[in-house]
Amino acid sequence: MIRESSSGVAEGSHIFKRGRYWYLFTAEGGTESGHSEWVNRSEVSPLGPWELGPNNPLWRNGVEDEVQNTGHADLVEDTKGQWWAVVLGVRPSRKGDTWEDSVLGRETFLVPLEWKDDWPVINGGHKITLNSHGPGLYEFNTPVSWRDEFSDPQMQVGWYRKNTPFVNDYSLTERPNYLRLHGGPYNLSVPASPTMFLRKQTHLVCRWETRLSFQPTVGETEAGTVVWLNYFTYSSIGIRKDSKGRFIRFRPSEGDIVERRLGTDTAVTLTVDCGSEYRFGYLEGTESDIHWIGSVSNSAATAAPPVGANFTGMMLGLYAFGERQRCLAPADFSYAEFR
């Protein structure tokens, strides 16, 4: 044992070599409000003996700060000899007297690092904030707008799958300029690999939209779009069929399922507004006025699973599935976009 952690929890140990010292960094205090970073060093070997740093924890953000749950530091030296640390943290939203979990999950923060007496000083020992200062730093605003029209022979970088699919269940060439999904037998509530492509939400306020052509042949199949946290917590809006024809099915992560009859067999535009809540709607054919069918609060959308915690943040995506059977009808998406 090197030492006993004052918090009782130490994890994510990283060892770095700089000059004549080995440095052991540990994330301590758990991954929530008590999260922090500690450092030890050894002049002998990566096995110790270890000397405890003079200024531990290297910084500490609290439960009233704009950035919280900070820790898990990594170090890098740039080409000009400037050292930096990248750390994980979250930026929750203030709701009255309480904080609401961030829908963006854990994010990476870049802060300057200095060496004093061969000990690392991260961010001057100060708390991590949304605005960081350091040599050469500048403000970079990533655009909200992004669009994929599925015109390339391969999926764009940035799409994710849940687990590894057993079979090839999609095509970008069977119907050019469309993403065609051949829905598998796993719905979105099982810990398998459903036919689903996910894109990470990177802005708090945005609109997600896709256009879907889907003519189901049986009632136990569905295709649509989803706001996804995990297979316990997700909200979806999709197209199904019964004896009377096609209908929209809104399945919120909290609350009752809502269904609305479709009047045509044309393509349907599915929309999700992201902001203080997730609002779900659809358009038939060439309609211009969105039919809003329901909403889910951010707190319900980020509800913790029965076991474990939320880390990755919200994703939005496209899916097709059958209830214990494969979809015989393909689901064709002509585009997906954030704006």
Side-chain angles (χ1 to χ4, degrees):
M1 177 181 290
I2 298 171
R3 61 177 173 82
E4 184 175 348
S5 173
S6 59
S7 67
V9 178
E11 60 174 345
S13 55
H14 292 177
I15 294 179
F16 298 89
K17 180 69 161 58
R18 177 183 179 271
R20 68 180 192 273
Y21 289 106
W22 298 89
Y23 295 89
L24 171 64
F25 287 80
T26 52
E28 305 199 14
T31 56
E32 297 179 346
S33 59
H35 207 34
S36 61
E37 190 79 15
W38 289 55
V39 66
N40 302 266
R41 74 182 183 188
S42 173
E43 199 172 3
V44 179
S45 81
L47 301 178
W50 297 99
E51 175 188 3
L52 184 62
N55 297 305
N56 282 314
L58 294 170
W59 78 90
R60 186 185 291 278
N61 282 47
V63 295
E64 292 300 319
D65 294 314
E66 60 183 1
V67 180
Q68 300 178 17
N69 306 358
T70 52
H72 286 295
D74 268 320
L75 314 185
V76 63
E77 182 184 16
D78 66 24
T79 57
K80 296 182 179 180
Q82 171 65 43
W83 283 82
W84 303 89
V86 287
V87 306
L88 294 180
V90 297
R91 42 176 172 150
S93 300
R94 192 76 178 183
K95 297 293 183 181
D97 296 331
T98 62
W99 291 100
E100 185 176 78
D101 287 345
S102 172
V103 299
L104 303 179
R106 272 180 164 176
E107 298 179 273
T108 304
F109 293 80
L110 175 71
V111 290
L113 181 150
E114 299 177 294
W115 295 95
K116 294 184 178 180
D117 299 324
D118 286 321
W119 286 106
V121 179
I122 294 178
N123 203 38
H126 303 302
K127 296 178 178 182
I128 309 299
T129 60
L130 291 179
N131 292 316
S132 183
H133 302 280
L137 286 185
Y138 60 94
E139 185 173 351
F140 177 70
N141 293 315
T142 57
V144 176
S145 297
W146 164 88
R147 184 179 175 96
D148 192 344
E149 295 183 339
F150 307 117
S151 57
D152 296 330
Q154 295 181 334
M155 293 294 288
Q156 284 189 18
V157 174
W159 286 103
Y160 295 84
R161 298 296 303 263
K162 178 187 178 294
N163 301 337
T164 302
F166 294 111
V167 297
N168 183 23
D169 53 6
Y170 76 97
S171 174
L172 291 165
T173 58
E174 289 180 13
R175 186 178 180 184
N177 299 315
Y178 282 81
L179 170 63
R180 170 164 286 184
L181 299 185
H182 297 284
Y186 305 109
N187 65 29
L188 306 186
S189 297
V190 298
S193 180
T195 304
M196 176 173 63
F197 282 86
L198 298 168
R199 194 89 189 181
K200 185 166 176 57
Q201 180 183 348
T202 57
H203 291 79
L204 294 172
V205 179
C206 57
R207 171 172 287 185
W208 168 263
E209 186 177 283
T210 187
R211 189 164 177 82
L212 168 62
S213 298
F214 182 53
Q215 302 295 333
T217 56
V218 295
E220 290 75 28
T221 58
E222 179 177 326
T225 195
V226 62
V227 175
W228 175 271
L229 189 65
N230 53 60
Y231 68 91
F232 294 105
T233 308
Y234 68 88
S235 301
S236 61
I237 179 171
I239 299 174
R240 286 202 175 204
K241 176 190 176 182
D242 60 14
S243 59
K244 297 180 181 179
R246 298 193 311 163
F247 61 92
I248 290 288
R249 183 178 189 264
F250 169 54
R251 184 267 191 204
S253 60
E254 181 179 87
D256 297 328
I257 292 174
V258 180
E259 296 176 350
R260 297 277 177 82
R261 185 67 54 185
L262 289 171
T264 68
D265 288 332
T266 59
V268 175
T269 301
L270 302 172
T271 301
V272 181
D273 273 358
C274 313
S276 59
E277 63 179 6
Y278 290 93
R279 187 166 63 145
F280 295 75
Y282 66 95
L283 292 167
E284 288 191 69
T286 58
E287 289 181 328
S288 58
D289 294 330
I290 298 175
H291 304 285
W292 296 109
I293 193 171
S295 62
V296 176
S297 68
N298 287 353
S299 59
T302 56
V307 178
N310 299 322
F311 295 112
T312 57
M314 205 65 66
M315 294 186 176
L316 290 95
L318 317 173
Y319 69 86
F321 67 79
E323 301 283 1
R324 299 186 180 90
Q325 60 182 296
R326 296 190 179 279
C327 288
L328 299 181
D332 292 334
F333 296 87
S334 61
Y335 69 89
E337 70 173 4
F338 279 114
R339 54 187 171 90

